[in-house]
Amino acid sequence: MSFFKKLKESIAAKTESVTKQFKDGLEKSRKGFVEKVADLITRRKKIDEEFFEELEEILIGADVGVNTVIKLIDDLRVEVKKRKIEDAAELQPILSEKLVGLLKGDQDNSLRMNPDGITVILFVGVNGVGKTTTIGKLAHHFKQQGKKVLMAAGDTFRAGAIEQLEVWGQRVGVEVIKQQAGSDPAAVMFDAVQAAKQRGADILLCDTAGRLQNKSNLMEELNKIYRVIQREIPGAPHEVLMVLDATTGQNALSQAKLFGEKSGVTGLVLTKLDGTAKGGIVVAIRQELSLPVKLVGLGEKMEDLQKFDSEQFVHGLFAGLIAEEDSKENTVQ
């Protein structure tokens, strides 16, 4: 059975609406990356050095990351020799298979929940990456599951950050715990944890500052927040999610390296994947950081924040080719 067929069958068991979200959300990447590969295969037909060079350029252009691309091309060369492949078209499913392998990783990418008590999820990341929107969408997601959710407005430094979270709170029907702008974020977290306990909340989603206006160190501020949360709820925070803007490509990767090492990040959220043709950044991030991508933003709607699924991702990227293979089969029958 061909790889695309296997992929299609494994996707068939999954929710159709989610499959559609991945497919729609990855449209730009599909055009910017997969269609270029398809074009290369149509033009070249023969696998030679020039073919590999051009494929390398396409992959680097999609932000897959230079180190990952070099390894991927080496692996493809080995497969070509081993399977004695001459026709370039035969390389497409192998490339897709390799991408699924690179995206999967060994880690579990589901959100860690507290089995006995309040689950605290902390969000970190620089300003402008879509942190507040992600918190709002995740609050909606948990509320749909019947959970009692609270949000903490811990970004007390950015102008309008508290109001922005409040707008989301009203939109999704979730209470926001806040103080005045400029107040101590750790004090906000203390209030939020107390409120979560009093109101019997299941989940507390905490926003934090991406940058501090004053001279105090952001990492020190985060450590203070950790200490307050841990003192009140042992074992918390259960997740520290770093939010990255996929449209910034390699810049997002640098941010994650800088920030992730110091701030105890447990997983990544990649926003605005629908707005970039460089969806390959997901592959680069999976390969170059030992952190799982837990959630991806695939559009503007509330439901467009989805749990990352490597098979859905590759299926979304190669949707056109899968449909093509289907129509060929139907023609033959």
Side-chain angles (χ1 to χ4, degrees):
M1 189 192 285
S2 84
F3 171 75
F4 285 145
K5 204 159 185 191
K6 268 190 237 162
L7 185 61
K8 193 166 174 262
E9 284 188 5
S10 92
I11 295 293
K14 296 177 182 179
T15 321
E16 217 169 284
S17 62
V18 175
T19 301
K20 187 178 183 316
Q21 274 159 336
F22 271 89
K23 203 168 148 185
D24 293 350
L26 292 168
E27 189 183 353
K28 283 189 180 171
S29 286
R30 192 160 57 243
K31 286 194 163 77
F33 164 48
V34 179
E35 289 181 13
K36 283 183 182 169
V37 175
D39 173 59
L40 167 67
I41 284 167
T42 314
R43 275 188 296 107
R44 288 223 171 262
K45 294 195 167 51
K46 196 163 141 278
I47 299 174
D48 53 16
E49 203 44 50
E50 283 175 1
F51 173 87
F52 280 122
E53 271 174 29
E54 211 172 316
L55 181 58
E56 195 170 296
E57 265 173 47
I58 293 168
L59 289 164
I60 289 171
D63 258 350
V64 173
V66 178
N67 300 340
T68 309
V69 170
I70 291 167
K71 189 184 176 307
L72 189 56
I73 296 287
D74 286 347
D75 285 354
L76 288 174
R77 287 179 197 274
V78 169
E79 289 293 332
V80 165
K81 270 192 181 150
K82 197 168 80 183
R83 302 192 198 189
K84 297 187 170 60
I85 297 169
E86 286 175 12
D87 182 359
E90 288 177 49
L91 209 56
Q92 235 161 3
I94 298 168
L95 173 62
S96 321
E97 203 169 342
K98 295 269 177 216
L99 286 172
V100 170
L102 289 173
L103 284 164
K104 259 197 171 134
D106 308 323
Q107 301 126 308
D108 175 20
N109 73 333
S110 52
L111 291 173
R112 282 193 297 219
M113 307 303 276
N114 183 1
D116 10 79
I118 304 161
T119 297
V120 182
I121 302 177
L122 205 61
F123 291 81
V124 300
V126 303
N127 293 341
V129 291
K131 203 161 21 130
T132 312
T133 303
T134 298
I135 295 169
K137 286 180 178 177
L138 195 57
H140 170 73
H141 167 78
F142 284 131
K143 204 161 175 253
Q144 294 295 97
Q145 293 180 346
K147 308 260 190 223
K148 183 159 178 54
V149 187
L150 282 184
M151 298 193 283
D155 185 355
T156 57
F157 295 98
R158 181 170 65 85
I162 298 169
E163 291 77 1
Q164 196 188 349
L165 197 64
E166 282 188 295
V167 168
W168 271 103
Q170 285 157 10
R171 201 184 289 178
V172 300
V174 167
E175 190 185 349
V176 175
I177 308 299
K178 59 168 186 167
Q179 286 187 13
Q180 294 301 314
S183 36
D184 179 5
V188 178
M189 294 309 169
F190 178 80
D191 285 356
V193 171
Q194 298 311 316
K197 286 177 176 175
Q198 284 157 14
R199 295 168 183 51
D202 302 302
I203 292 161
L204 174 62
L205 304 176
C206 306
D207 195 5
T208 66
R211 190 166 60 87
L212 299 185
Q213 261 75 340
N214 54 14
K215 293 283 176 278
S216 75
N217 184 306
L218 184 58
M219 294 306 161
E220 280 168 25
E221 199 61 66
L222 280 173
N223 287 331
K224 210 162 109 185
I225 288 171
Y226 286 144
R227 286 197 298 275
V228 167
I229 293 173
Q230 278 159 359
R231 195 174 62 225
E232 298 303 314
I233 301 175
H238 304 92
E239 287 280 5
V240 180
L241 299 179
M242 180 169 187
V243 184
L244 298 167
D245 176 348
T247 63
T248 63
Q250 291 296 315
N251 191 13
L253 186 59
S254 318
Q255 273 172 31
K257 282 180 178 168
L258 271 172
F259 218 93
E261 286 164 8
K262 294 177 183 165
S263 56
V265 171
T266 55
L268 302 170
V269 181
L270 267 174
T271 63
K272 312 179 196 178
L273 262 175
D274 56 310
T276 180
K278 294 173 178 278
I281 190 62
V282 183
V283 183
I285 282 171
R286 274 301 300 113
Q287 286 306 295
E288 296 193 32
L289 297 169
S290 54
L291 286 168
V293 175
K294 299 217 168 190
L295 300 164
V296 286
L298 297 162
E300 299 292 316
K301 297 195 294 293
M302 296 256 204
E303 300 72 32
D304 288 335
L305 182 72
Q306 286 293 334
K307 182 187 170 188
F308 179 67
D309 178 324
S310 54
E311 286 184 336
Q312 289 276 29
F313 185 83
V314 173
H315 180 272
L317 274 183
F318 289 89
L321 299 178
I322 294 166
E324 221 172 89
E325 192 176 272
D326 276 358
S327 68
K328 274 181 198 162
E329 275 190 16
N330 294 337
T331 314
V332 170
Q333 286 166 8

